[in-house]
Amino acid sequence: MLTAYTVRMAQLMDPHCDMLLVGDSLGQVIYGLPHTVAVTMEMMAAHGAAVVRGSYHAAVIVDMPFGSYEASPEQAFVNASRLLKETGAAAVKLEGGKVLAPTVEFLTSRGIPVMAHVGLTPQAVNILGGYGVRGKSPEEAQSIVDDAIAMSDAGAFAMVIEGVLEHIAIEITQKVACPTIGIGASAQCDGQVLVAEDMLGLFDRVPKFVKKFGNMGVSVEDAVRAYATGVRDRSFPGPDQLYQPV
Ligand code: KIV
């Protein structure tokens, strides 16, 4: 699984990925927000629909933004069903553990597939105080395992495990019924996810758990520099780009 926010990126990733995640990380990656707390339903619906239009094989999962599901199972159903209707996506993802298990049960028993997200949950940054690795104390590690089991028991069809010590991800993967998808977790998870722009090398600074599989930032800069040079020295547009009378 990789994140996708736009139709062209979805088209490029679709043949290679089983799932595309329209993550609320789009708040930072696309909109330059400091964190995901300000991401709206409208943003998720617009980008979710674009990604669905660009995917033919992969299942598209849309993140529920902060504030759209926590108040009650009913609130979650209204917003999750809106996202599925407006985007055509296959499922929604939401962050949280035990407290949200009744919500996941409410959604899944009413026809809405839910991917869970445990461990480091970025929407809770104002409580967590940052994006550091979770589960360093035995108590916190146990609490994350309990969250994961609660989500699986509530009917989540898969779960993201983010930013935890490796032994926690391994224990969860062994204990839960659904597939696990790691990010900063363990190669022993059933799958992996990364923010596409991170792994493509669009950004200079990325979290420790990211491996850059490309150098997109440099490619973009090289192309833009060559374009600007061509415009300034009038080598662009050249004969191949111009319309001539026949
Ligand atoms: O919002 C997001 O992109 C995510 C992934 C990093 C798992 O939740």
Side-chain angles (χ1 to χ4, degrees):
M1 183 162 86
L2 282 171
T3 61
Y5 317 121
T6 61
V7 65
R8 186 60 187 139
M9 291 299 273
Q11 287 168 341
L12 292 170
M13 293 175 194
D14 181 74
H16 310 286
C17 294
D18 298 317
M19 291 185 279
L20 295 177
L21 172 66
V22 188
D24 63 352
S25 51
L26 63 75
Q28 286 132 313
V29 176
I30 302 285
Y31 291 94
L33 296 168
H35 42 58
T36 55
V37 173
V39 171
T40 64
M41 282 287 292
E42 287 66 31
M43 290 176 188
M44 298 313 302
H47 288 274
V51 169
V52 168
R53 285 193 286 271
S55 67
Y56 309 94
H57 145 85
V60 177
I61 322 298
V62 180
D63 256 344
M64 300 198 69
F66 178 67
S68 71
Y69 61 92
E70 300 89 334
S72 67
E74 288 79 6
Q75 180 212 25
F77 186 85
V78 168
N79 286 317
S81 59
R82 177 181 162 196
L83 285 178
L84 294 194
K85 278 176 197 275
E86 292 186 15
T87 65
V92 296
K93 175 166 82 60
L94 54 80
E95 297 181 6
K98 296 170 278 295
V99 170
L100 283 164
T103 296
V104 172
E105 196 168 348
F106 191 90
L107 296 179
T108 54
S109 60
R110 285 162 178 78
I112 299 185
V114 178
M115 178 180 283
H117 184 154
V118 300
L120 172 60
T121 48
Q123 292 178 7
V125 64
N126 290 320
I127 293 282
L128 300 177
Y131 299 104
V133 63
R134 312 299 305 165
K136 283 187 176 166
S137 71
E139 295 74 24
E140 194 180 50
Q142 187 57 53
S143 171
I144 294 169
V145 173
D146 293 345
D147 283 343
I149 292 170
M151 283 291 161
S152 173
D153 289 351
F157 73 91
M159 77 177 62
V160 168
I161 308 174
E162 177 167 0
V164 297
L165 296 182
E166 187 181 18
H167 72 87
I168 300 172
I170 293 172
E171 185 178 344
I172 292 173
T173 301
Q174 287 168 350
K175 285 188 171 162
V176 298
C178 65
T180 61
I181 304 169
I183 174 165
S186 171
Q188 291 193 46
C189 291
D190 298 299
Q192 299 294 323
V193 62
L194 285 175
V195 169
E197 284 74 359
D198 284 346
M199 58 78 73
L200 289 170
L202 191 64
F203 298 112
D204 294 335
R205 290 189 59 219
V206 291
K208 170 187 166 60
F209 55 74
V210 172
K211 177 174 173 183
K212 292 187 186 179
F213 288 83
N215 214 344
M216 196 172 156
V218 172
S219 305
V220 170
E221 272 205 282
D222 285 349
V224 173
R225 190 181 305 108
Y227 166 77
T229 302
V231 169
R232 293 193 174 104
D233 68 15
R234 297 187 191 277
S235 61
F236 175 82
D240 288 349
Q241 291 91 40
L242 296 176
Y243 298 101
Q244 303 291 354
V246 271

